[in-house]
Amino acid sequence: FYIVFAILFLFPKKHKIKLLNRAISFFSKTVIYLDLQVHKRIFGKENLNLKKPSVIIANHSSFLDILLMLMLNHRIILMINSWVYRSPFFGFFVRHAGYIFSENSMEQNLEKIKQKIADGYSIVIFPEGTRSADGKINRFHKGAFYLAQELKLDITPILIYGAGYVLPKNDFLVKRGELSLKILPRINYDDTLWGDTYRERTKNISSYFKSEYSEFKNERETSQNLFP
């Protein structure tokens, strides 16, 4: 925390956001990997191309999802809801790190995200909007797909398995289990196979995502080498 406060108050503004995001990513990775009773796996790392920013979408069933996304790279920031943005602890850091507040107007967010993309950041959006209480993937909202269309950004889907069990919604006790990520190939913004409008792409990508998650979940639960 001393390092974070030093970044906030001692470094010039133009370096502050970059350094703070590095610190947040390092902190997130430390928290995830510190618990030795939880096994961690990442599949499809080659599909995460951060040299070309994209909209990253992921399923959401646990607070751990946030840490899992942020640990991947310091050039990833989140679109966050009011609970996180106004949190006495987390809110202070995410506001200074330049995260996107989901309750701002779409016009405000478009301009802010456009600047973040220009600065080299990819944006994580949980299209379900809130955490799933039972681990099932809820209906996708259209916001992520609208932003991708308007800003001509590819979409990178990431499947999260195990977080809803290891740390369920409204629970504070971490259980023994597995946290696995699978990064799927990015979807090009101009690929009309997914639809011509963001509404069509929301529907089609949602179906694809749920199908891929179901297969991934089955693989992880039936693997004989789950915890080698």
Side-chain angles (χ1 to χ4, degrees):
F1 290 110
Y2 292 113
I3 295 174
V4 172
F5 279 105
I7 291 171
L8 291 174
F9 297 111
L10 299 180
F11 285 87
K13 185 176 181 179
K14 65 180 181 179
H15 300 303
K16 183 164 58 179
I17 290 177
K18 183 184 295 185
L19 291 171
L20 184 54
N21 277 293
R22 284 182 180 273
I24 291 173
S25 182
F26 176 78
F27 171 78
S28 299
K29 190 170 186 176
T30 300
V31 171
I32 290 295
Y33 279 90
L34 196 61
D35 194 330
L36 299 180
Q37 68 174 341
V38 179
H39 297 260
K40 300 89 180 176
R41 300 288 186 87
I42 301 179
F43 302 88
K45 287 184 180 180
E46 68 278 4
N47 293 321
L48 187 63
N49 176 16
L50 294 171
K51 293 181 179 179
K52 183 182 179 183
S54 64
V55 173
I56 298 172
I57 61 171
N59 51 302
H60 193 24
S61 60
S62 170
F63 173 75
L64 293 177
D65 301 330
I66 294 174
L67 301 181
L68 288 167
M69 293 296 99
L70 294 176
M71 78 170 190
L72 290 173
N73 195 277
H74 64 275
R75 288 183 292 174
I76 291 176
I77 63 174
L78 299 172
M79 177 172 281
I80 54 175
N81 59 26
S82 58
W83 180 86
V84 179
Y85 196 83
R86 296 195 174 101
S87 166
F89 177 75
F90 298 109
F92 177 80
F93 297 104
V94 300
R95 287 194 296 271
H96 281 83
Y99 287 23
I100 310 300
F101 184 34
S102 63
E103 295 183 22
N104 283 340
S105 69
M106 189 59 71
E107 292 75 18
Q108 285 178 291
N109 281 337
L110 277 172
E111 289 305 311
K112 189 169 184 179
I113 293 173
K114 189 183 296 184
Q115 182 57 56
K116 290 297 178 183
I117 295 300
D119 291 339
Y121 290 97
S122 290
I123 313 297
V124 172
I125 299 177
F126 298 111
E128 295 167 90
T130 187
R131 287 173 291 172
S132 169
D134 57 7
K136 294 181 180 178
I137 299 178
N138 295 321
R139 181 178 67 88
F140 278 12
H141 297 286
K142 301 179 181 68
F145 308 94
Y146 172 78
L147 289 170
Q149 175 181 285
E150 291 299 301
L151 299 179
K152 294 182 171 55
L153 295 173
D154 296 344
I155 292 174
T156 301
I158 299 183
L159 312 175
I160 302 175
Y161 169 78
Y165 173 78
V166 170
L167 186 64
K169 183 177 181 180
N170 300 323
D171 204 341
F172 301 97
L173 181 63
V174 175
K175 302 177 183 178
R176 175 179 171 79
E178 178 186 2
L179 292 174
S180 289
L181 301 180
K182 184 174 183 180
I183 304 165
L184 301 178
R186 66 165 54 201
I187 298 170
N188 295 330
Y189 77 90
D190 56 354
D191 186 348
T192 56
L193 290 176
W194 300 96
D196 294 315
T197 69
Y198 72 90
R199 294 178 185 275
E200 292 174 344
R201 289 165 71 83
T202 302
K203 180 180 178 180
N204 293 331
I205 293 174
S206 173
S207 296
Y208 162 72
F209 190 102
K210 291 174 181 177
S211 175
E212 289 291 320
Y213 177 78
S214 178
E215 183 177 334
F216 183 52
K217 180 175 181 288
N218 186 59
E219 288 174 1
R220 301 315 306 150
E221 291 180 351
T222 59
S223 173
Q224 294 181 355
N225 300 311
L226 191 60
F227 302 131

